[in-house]
Amino acid sequence: MENKTIYCPNCGSKIAASSVFCPKCGQKINVTVSNQTAPNPAGSSQLANHANNGNQYTNQQQPQYSQPTSSQNSNATSAGNDRNTNLYLTFGWICAVISLFLFPIIFGAGGVVFGVLLTKNEQSRNKGTILIVMSVAIGITGFLLGAALNS
């Protein structure tokens, strides 16, 4: 079976013909093509018409390819960062609260780890710092509470 490829209409990257989105720029691919030729980044309208061998652009002008702007790149990765931020924040606070009642060192450390993961993203750095401080404080409180109940 032949592995067919096409080119992204946004960035010109070579992608699988069965792709729904471009893995490089995130552009939605809504064309099914067989035997598409290499892209023409200059956007030339002169096309070689080889007996209409399945090329979608026969008798048409090829699309213009441009480098995605930084806002397009940030929009493509923004959804992934927001999802990770919310997951890290949720799991970090769950670990911090559990550390008050159960295994304070382990779950407190878990809250700190999620806080550190949050500080790697510039937009969630403050949330990560707060989570680290609170995880340590709640973990110490849980440790002291457990020591007081056991004595």
Side-chain angles (χ1 to χ4, degrees), residues 11-111:
C11 69
S13 297
K14 191 175 185 179
I15 58 176
S18 61
S19 296
V20 177
F21 294 96
C22 174
K24 185 172 182 181
C25 70
Q27 175 72 31
K28 184 173 183 177
I29 308 298
N30 48 348
V31 186
T32 305
V33 179
S34 61
N35 298 331
Q36 183 179 2
T37 60
N40 185 354
S44 172
S45 62
Q46 296 178 345
L47 298 173
N49 186 355
H50 298 288
N52 197 7
N53 63 353
N55 185 349
Q56 136 189 10
Y57 299 114
T58 304
N59 299 327
Q60 297 180 32
Q61 182 179 8
Q62 282 188 334
Q64 297 273 339
Y65 295 100
S66 62
Q67 188 67 23
T69 62
S70 62
S71 65
Q72 288 172 329
N73 287 338
S74 65
N75 288 342
T77 58
S78 177
N81 286 341
D82 289 343
R83 186 179 332 138
N84 287 344
T85 298
N86 290 336
L87 283 173
Y88 294 158
L89 198 57
T90 301
F91 286 130
W93 281 109
I94 289 171
C95 286
V97 170
I98 291 174
S99 73
L100 186 60
F101 305 106
L102 188 67
F103 305 114
I105 294 174
I106 295 171
F107 284 105

Side-chain angles (χ1 to χ4, degrees), residues 93 96 108 111-113 115-116 119 125-141:
W93 281 109
V112 169
V113 168
V116 169
T119 60
R125 185 163 288 148
N126 290 340
K127 293 177 184 177
T129 304
I130 292 169
L131 180 59
I132 291 170
V133 170
M134 293 304 294
S135 293
V136 169
I138 294 171
I140 291 171
T141 304

